[in-house]
Amino acid sequence: MNRRSMILGASAMAAVATNARPVCALGSRALTYSEAEAFVWRPLDASGGVSELVRAATLGANSHNTQPWRFMVSAQEITIGADFSRRCAAVDPDDHHLFASLGCAVENMVEAAVLLGFKVEARYEHTSQDRVTISIDRSPPSRSELADAITKRQNTRAEYDGRDVSAADLNTIGTAGTLDGVECLLVTERRRMDAILDYVVQGNTAQMRDQAFMAELIAWIRFDDNMAVESLDGLSARSSGNPSLPAWIARRLLPFVMTEKGENDKYAKHIRSSAGIAVFAAASDDRAGWIAAGRAYQRFALQATVLGIRHAFLNQPVEVPSLRPQFASYMGIGDRRPDLVVRFGRGPTLPRSLRRPIQAVIDQP
Ligand SMILES: Cc1cc2nc3c(=O)[nH]c(=O)nc-3n(C[C@H](O)[C@H](O)[C@H](O)COP(=O)(O)O)c2cc1C
């Protein structure tokens, strides 16, 4: 069965998984990008039960949109574990980002629970699998701004409008990002933001000179809409603010349009148009700490979304190992690891990234 031959009902939009790959379809035809986007990011449905908890989790931020998670679901609990077949060895050799991505998924599930009528408790299990178990009980559903924001949050890789964020809003997002021993440091002073830009530029330059990094990144770029809707993962051109182009043309153009100078200039514009930069540092530099950092970022991002504040990752200073200690020292966090770097401010939205359906990520217990 391929995606074109799937018939899923005359007018029903659906995302399911065949044995070969995930499928997003409207009746017998594949969805357009914007149809898939609307379907993936449809509001959470309180009548959807435990499945909606898993769907909420899959809407979490995740490195390169690899969606590196597997779920096991029973009536009493959901476990989230790593899908190491989706690890990114070049950018993330110790799986830091992979476990931070699991943390993002866990936090979405915890926040969604209120709206979906569940009482949940997340517990990290340090086993050979290093997974998180979420125990679930029924409880009356209630409204939650953070839960509503799950289907609105996005990494907005656009230029912002340069406006400041009020002290009250800074306090609200900073508090939301302080969780489970993770510190959320907010930098809004221009001089310090320029210093962080220097780290981003150094990191980006090193990464763009690293063939393995570039090959891995390009493998996860979905240059045209068909590629994106077919795989339902990866970095779609549209969600990075670029046009959809046939992959064979885009690959040839890439060396001319994605240059070191061009990318570094873009990051300078991105940081200078932002109101501030948030740096997350967990209490421990291990998988439990990385999951906690992901949870803290996700909560920060949901709260920012509630307030109409956009955000986007700029992780180069924490991804290039030789820069990380210098960056930690600049941020004054002693021997803790700086986990994640995120700029924020007011600005436009961009097309959203896509997700595979939950059927593609659930294993039978
Ligand atoms: C641990 C982690 C690291 C990330 N690093 C970067 C990054 O350095 N640059 C970037 O543009 N996006 C980065 N992202 C954002 C992902 O690419 C993004 O979450 C994914 O494409 C899905 O898009 P969404 O967050 O808009 O749903 C990162 C996300 C996570 C969770």
Side-chain angles (χ1 to χ4, degrees):
M1 183 154 43
N2 67 32
R3 73 191 177 113
R4 297 203 182 277
S5 65
M6 280 222 38
I7 308 283
L8 294 165
S11 61
M13 278 193 196
V16 296
T18 68
N19 49 3
R21 57 165 57 109
V23 171
C24 225
L26 174 61
S28 59
R29 72 166 170 84
L31 299 188
T32 63
Y33 192 91
S34 44
E35 287 167 345
E37 187 188 1
F39 183 72
V40 167
W41 294 95
R42 68 195 183 278
L44 294 174
D45 174 3
S47 68
V50 175
S51 302
E52 280 295 90
L53 276 180
V54 178
R55 187 167 75 84
T58 66
L59 298 178
N62 63 96
S63 184
H64 282 8
N65 199 22
T66 61
Q67 305 164 38
W69 36 58
R70 303 295 313 172
F71 296 84
M72 285 218 290
V73 180
S74 73
Q76 297 80 33
E77 60 183 32
I78 300 173
T79 56
I80 307 182
D83 180 349
F84 288 110
S85 70
R86 290 176 168 258
R87 71 191 293 269
C88 289
V91 68
D92 190 28
D94 61 0
D95 295 318
H96 170 280
H97 282 5
L98 189 154
F99 281 92
S101 302
L102 296 191
C104 297
V106 169
E107 186 58 24
N108 260 11
M109 205 182 276
V110 168
E111 299 301 338
V114 181
L115 184 80
L116 298 175
F118 294 98
K119 190 161 142 308
V120 298
E121 206 177 295
R123 195 175 67 250
Y124 169 69
E125 290 171 48
H126 180 50
T127 62
S128 57
Q129 304 288 318
D130 282 313
R131 55 194 194 179
V132 179
T133 299
I134 291 108
S135 60
I136 41 181
D137 261 327
R138 276 284 177 190
S139 81
S142 57
R143 292 224 60 78
S144 153
E145 283 188 321
L146 293 189
D148 284 340
I150 289 171
T151 53
K152 301 188 181 102
R153 182 208 57 84
Q154 68 165 201
N155 267 279
T156 311
R157 298 184 189 90
E159 228 174 295
Y160 300 161
D161 68 7
R163 272 190 295 152
D164 287 344
V165 165
S166 72
D169 284 355
L170 283 176
N171 185 44
T172 308
I173 56 177
T175 305
T178 305
L179 196 73
D180 271 354
V182 179
E183 192 176 2
C184 171
L185 298 125
L186 299 182
V187 177
T188 55
E189 203 188 318
R190 292 286 149 189
R191 183 182 56 80
R192 297 194 69 213
M193 287 170 67
D194 271 348
I196 296 177
L197 169 60
D198 277 348
Y199 285 105
V200 170
V201 166
Q202 284 183 61
N204 181 58
T205 304
Q207 288 179 328
M208 290 193 72
R209 291 178 186 177
D210 176 346
Q211 281 185 3
F213 172 90
M214 289 305 289
E216 183 179 81
L217 175 65
I218 291 167
W220 284 102
I221 297 179
R222 307 293 175 243
F223 292 102
D224 71 39
D225 290 353
N226 288 341
M227 265 178 107
V229 174
E230 178 118 2
S231 70
L232 296 171
D233 63 11
L235 301 162
S236 66
R238 285 187 189 276
S239 69
S240 300
N242 297 314
S244 161
L245 285 179
W248 68 271
I249 298 180
R251 281 205 180 89
R252 282 186 194 175
L253 288 177
L254 208 60
F256 304 101
V257 293
M258 196 176 172
T259 61
E260 241 173 71
K261 180 173 171 358
E263 290 297 292
N264 286 336
D265 290 352
K266 179 186 79 184
Y267 288 125
K269 280 191 194 140
H270 282 177
I271 288 184
R272 292 195 174 124
S273 68
S274 297
I277 296 174
V279 178
F280 296 83
S284 60
D285 184 14
D286 54 18
R287 288 175 174 182
W290 307 339
I291 290 171
R295 287 191 64 175
Y297 149 77
Q298 188 73 24
R299 196 151 194 276
F300 165 95
L302 294 176
Q303 184 61 69
T305 305
V306 169
L307 297 172
I309 298 169
R310 315 275 175 239
H311 72 279
F313 282 97
L314 291 166
N315 278 322
Q316 293 86 350
V318 299
E319 286 170 351
V320 175
S322 59
L323 281 179
R324 211 182 293 139
Q326 297 171 40
F327 184 61
S329 159
Y330 180 74
M331 292 305 301
I333 58 169
D335 55 10
R336 274 179 298 157
R337 175 176 180 155
D339 289 288
L340 299 167
V341 184
V342 178
R343 70 186 172 100
F344 58 86
R346 309 272 177 192
T349 55
L350 287 178
R352 327 290 301 274
S353 59
L354 301 181
R355 294 294 189 277
R356 293 175 297 152
I358 60 169
Q359 295 88 334
V361 293
I362 294 181
D363 293 321
Q364 294 312 315

